[in-house]
Amino acid sequence: MRRTVRIGLLATIIVLATVILLAIELFSSPPLTPYTELTLPASEQDSGLQAQWFGVSTLTIGDGETTVMIDGFFSRPSWLSLLFMPLSPDLARIDAALALGQVDKADALFVAHSHHDHAMDSAVVAGTLGARLMGSESTANIGRGGGLGEDQIRVIQHGDILNLGQFEIRIFETPHSPDPVTPGTIDQPLTPPARLADYRLGENYSFLLNHPQGRILIVPSAHYVPGLFQEVQADVVFLSIGLLGKQPGDFIRSYWKETVQATAAQLVIPIHWDDFSRPLDQPLQALPYLLDDMEASMTQLMELAQTDGVAIRLMPLAVPVQLTTPEAP
Ligand SMILES: [Zn+2]
């Protein structure tokens, strides 16, 4: 009898230890050290096209006169909040991030899709920066629920071409990365606090920014439409690699072909690799293995880049970077 109890206890300890080790493994992230030397330097002058990145696919692109922002997501609620708490834009974090990047105005805020990690702060950020909110009908409902007037919102669609200063911005509807959580649309104004599941996908967009000083393609979610960018030329591609590390090699190669090879871009800047549950005042980490594998996607992309003579670089956090094409490795 006592022997049975001892064996039972031992078995329980082994199972518990295995579960704990598995959880630690799943919630840990690939190290970022292999990519340190790929990080672009801060620009030394403020001429030309400048980009700033704030994690996920939150970007600004500006030429000194006109500033275009993408997504404007700064709140970055923790996993605990995401799973169990109603979500509201974190005004202190938004202000701190904008101050860190010295961003005090934008002409337009283009939102990729209506998941929380792209859209949840969009109404506050558009209001704060005096930017017009540009997105799907679902994103427009986040704007309305967040208090923006109709004159501060524009619903965009595939094929739209917008002119802002010297930028010509082309809108492409592209699919979300495979198996999105919370699909569907937001059909009523969404006023925070709201649950994670309320931030339903809506349409997902990629953006081409044509400017006399450069052509920039932004792909905020890692998927593609065969042939869509056949007629598009780009110098730089901001390429989402979010959840790409879980995709098979064929998918990654097709994604590269349809976004980088199709546009003949010479510089690829992976985005959406960071763990968006960590605030921006803590060091960035890659998404945990539970969701993604940055090492797997980066290894494959770097091989493809080497073959094609394309440079891969990462953005530093918040500081402006001049968007000129560096030499390929
Ligand atoms: Zn999403």
Side-chain angles (χ1 to χ4, degrees):
M1 187 64 185
R2 288 186 61 184
R3 189 154 175 252
T4 323
V5 170
R6 246 186 290 151
I7 289 171
L9 198 66
L10 196 64
T12 311
I13 289 169
I14 289 171
V15 169
L16 267 177
T18 310
V19 168
I20 289 168
L21 286 174
L22 203 67
I24 290 171
E25 172 69 17
L26 286 174
F27 282 99
S28 65
S29 319
L32 293 178
T33 37
Y35 316 116
T36 312
E37 63 189 33
L38 295 182
T39 304
L40 288 161
S43 42
E44 284 164 6
Q45 54 210 31
D46 58 3
S47 60
L49 281 181
Q50 306 265 338
Q52 284 170 284
W53 176 71
F54 296 88
V56 198
S57 48
T58 289
L59 289 160
T60 67
I61 312 280
D63 63 1
E65 286 189 2
T66 307
T67 303
V68 173
M69 183 176 260
I70 310 294
D71 287 353
F73 169 61
F74 303 104
S75 289
R76 300 169 70 96
S78 68
W79 292 116
L80 209 63
S81 305
L82 288 173
L83 294 175
F84 301 112
M85 319 258 271
L87 305 175
S88 291
D90 185 326
L91 304 184
R93 285 187 181 180
I94 293 170
D95 286 347
L98 293 174
L100 180 69
Q102 297 183 313
V103 182
D104 52 18
K105 80 163 199 54
D107 298 276
L109 174 61
F110 287 87
V111 174
H113 63 264
S114 298
H115 281 156
H116 92 283
D117 56 330
H118 298 265
M120 74 169 280
D121 295 335
S122 58
V124 173
V125 171
T128 303
L129 299 180
R132 198 162 180 201
L133 177 63
M134 313 280 205
S136 68
E137 190 62 41
S138 295
T139 296
N141 273 325
I142 294 175
R144 291 175 188 123
L148 296 183
E150 289 303 323
D151 58 336
Q152 294 166 284
I153 298 171
R154 173 162 172 179
V155 175
I156 52 172
Q157 287 174 353
H158 179 77
D160 282 354
I161 301 173
L162 298 99
N163 289 290
L164 279 172
Q166 293 198 71
F167 286 96
E168 179 207 67
I169 297 146
R170 292 177 177 255
I171 311 298
F172 295 88
E173 187 174 346
T174 52
H176 191 275
S177 61
D179 309 315
V181 291
T182 61
T185 52
I186 302 169
D187 301 320
Q188 300 291 329
L190 182 62
T191 303
R195 295 167 309 144
L196 179 64
D198 295 329
Y199 290 96
R200 290 193 293 275
L201 171 63
E203 284 76 30
N204 178 67
Y205 297 114
S206 295
F207 309 104
L208 177 69
L209 278 57
N210 285 323
H211 188 280
Q213 298 189 63
R215 301 160 299 184
I216 298 152
L217 177 65
I218 300 161
V219 182
S221 198
H223 209 327
Y224 59 90
V225 178
L228 182 68
F229 296 132
Q230 215 56 62
E231 308 293 317
V232 167
Q233 299 256 303
D235 304 301
V236 181
V237 179
F238 285 93
L239 190 69
S240 172
I241 61 167
L243 314 188
L244 191 64
K246 297 279 190 187
Q247 296 299 325
D250 276 355
F251 183 98
I252 296 177
R253 281 189 291 278
S254 299
Y255 183 46
W256 179 267
K257 171 172 172 267
E258 297 292 346
T259 52
V260 180
Q261 287 179 343
T263 60
Q266 288 301 297
L267 171 62
V268 171
I269 303 178
I271 52 173
H272 209 327
W273 50 263
D274 55 304
D275 182 342
F276 48 71
S277 72
R278 293 168 55 86
L280 289 176
D281 61 5
Q282 289 177 21
L284 292 179
Q285 284 183 7
L287 277 166
Y289 287 110
L290 182 65
L291 297 174
D292 199 359
D293 185 346
M294 181 183 183
E295 199 179 341
S297 49
M298 283 298 282
T299 301
Q300 291 176 78
L301 293 179
M302 284 165 76
E303 275 176 29
L304 291 161
Q306 187 125 41
T307 305
D308 290 349
V310 170
I312 292 201
R313 297 288 186 272
L314 295 180
M315 289 292 284
L317 184 66
V319 295
V321 164
Q322 195 153 19
L323 285 182
T324 44
T325 312
E327 291 289 304

